[in-house]
Amino acid sequence: MQRQRRLQFAREHKHLTAEDWEKYIFSDVSTKYLFHVPNRQDDVVWGSQPDEVPDVSCVKSSAKVMVWGAMGVNVLSKLHIVPTGQTINANYYETNILQKELKPALKRQKNSGRIDERKLVQCPGHATFVQDGATPHTAFVTQEWCTDNLPNFISKDEWPGNSPDLNCIENLWSILDSVAYKDQHPTSMTQLRRRLQHAWREIPQKHLISLIHSLPNRIKNVLKNKGGLSSY
């Protein structure tokens, strides 16, 4: 069923060019850990002898923080850090993220300055907001808020489930991690939050452009795989 929905989504969006995708705003929530566990696929060290491979320390249960962000082709929203102990339910998502973070970002007028302060899209009236199928996103109050406050958005019935390859902000989280956890692990939650905020503001614009412009190829891969996941 999900594979068919992915295929349908790809067919409906296969005509969009890279420039068309520049009108889309991609959003997501991500969990960041005080102790960053290496990525099994990407963080690989090769050696001819076991002693050439450094030990990797790990902890059973690391402190963590949840963050929300949105990206356009040239800019970012503010990085929203969820308070410790707070879960992201539909009410929190609508009140503290959509209303207090997304809505003001859509009203920005600046074309210069910090990447998280500039105009989110050049033509807000033609922007399309993208969020995945997480429960707070598909809740009735959330969908109603989007209908009332956004010019366009991909509804819960349009977005195919389990499609991280189609939401390019998923790749942005890895870029954020590469900066926030660079050199050494943060030693406190306060330091982790500061690093995340700093790393978010320092993300190069070229990465945003590259990710947004990758959408036509992502769609082609879904079509090629007949609805299967791509490698993005």
Side-chain angles (χ1 to χ4, degrees):
M1 180 65 178
Q2 288 182 346
R3 188 165 185 149
Q4 289 301 315
R5 290 187 65 185
R6 283 169 50 79
L7 191 57
Q8 179 182 346
F9 182 89
R11 287 170 175 165
E12 291 173 350
H13 293 80
K14 66 180 181 180
H15 65 285
L16 296 182
T17 66
E19 289 70 28
D20 292 327
W21 284 108
E22 292 181 1
K23 300 174 185 177
Y24 283 68
I25 301 166
F26 291 84
S27 68
D28 193 26
V29 171
S30 182
T31 302
K32 302 303 177 186
Y33 295 87
L34 181 59
F35 184 91
H36 177 59
V37 180
N39 183 301
R40 292 177 180 267
Q41 179 177 342
D42 299 328
D43 299 336
V44 177
V45 177
W46 297 98
S48 59
Q49 300 295 328
D51 58 5
E52 294 179 1
V53 180
D55 293 332
V56 176
S57 302
C58 62
V59 295
K60 185 175 181 180
S61 180
S62 172
K64 61 186 179 181
V65 64
M66 297 187 72
V67 298
W68 173 91
M71 62 172 284
V73 69
N74 294 310
V75 295
L76 297 169
S77 70
K78 298 292 186 182
L79 183 68
H80 178 85
I81 298 181
V82 180
T84 302
Q86 173 66 54
T87 59
I88 302 182
N89 53 30
N91 181 64
Y92 183 91
Y93 183 66
E94 178 195 357
T95 303
N96 295 281
I97 294 179
L98 295 179
Q99 187 68 28
K100 294 183 180 180
E101 301 286 4
L102 179 64
K103 194 171 184 178
L106 288 170
K107 295 180 179 180
R108 294 178 191 165
Q109 298 297 320
K110 295 170 61 176
N111 285 312
S112 61
R114 238 169 54 180
I115 197 169
D116 64 343
E117 294 180 343
R118 299 197 297 261
K119 185 182 293 187
L120 196 57
V121 286
Q122 289 304 308
C123 300
H126 296 93
T128 298
F129 180 62
V130 181
Q131 56 189 349
D132 64 21
T135 301
H137 306 166
T138 61
F140 175 79
V141 291
T142 299
Q143 295 288 301
E144 186 177 46
W145 188 95
C146 289
T147 300
D148 293 342
N149 292 274
L150 301 177
N152 301 289
F153 73 102
I154 294 181
S155 71
K156 66 175 184 177
D157 296 323
E158 295 176 87
W159 182 256
N162 294 326
S163 299
D165 54 331
L166 293 176
N167 193 346
C168 54
I169 198 174
E170 294 279 359
N171 302 92
L172 197 65
W173 296 130
S174 296
I175 296 171
L176 180 69
D177 290 347
S178 68
V179 177
Y181 297 99
K182 187 179 181 180
D183 299 328
Q184 62 180 0
H185 289 292
T187 57
S188 68
M189 291 301 292
T190 297
Q191 189 180 61
L192 173 61
R193 294 186 186 95
R194 287 175 179 169
R195 283 199 188 185
L196 290 170
Q197 292 281 18
H198 176 75
W200 182 256
R201 295 193 294 266
E202 295 301 313
I203 291 175
Q205 180 178 323
K206 65 180 182 180
H207 292 331
L208 305 181
I209 295 172
S210 177
L211 289 174
I212 294 292
H213 286 185
S214 71
L215 264 299
N217 282 335
R218 292 169 187 254
I219 294 294
K220 288 179 182 177
N221 284 337
V222 173
L223 293 170
K224 180 180 178 180
N225 296 333
K226 298 181 179 179
L229 286 170
S230 67
S231 58
Y232 282 93

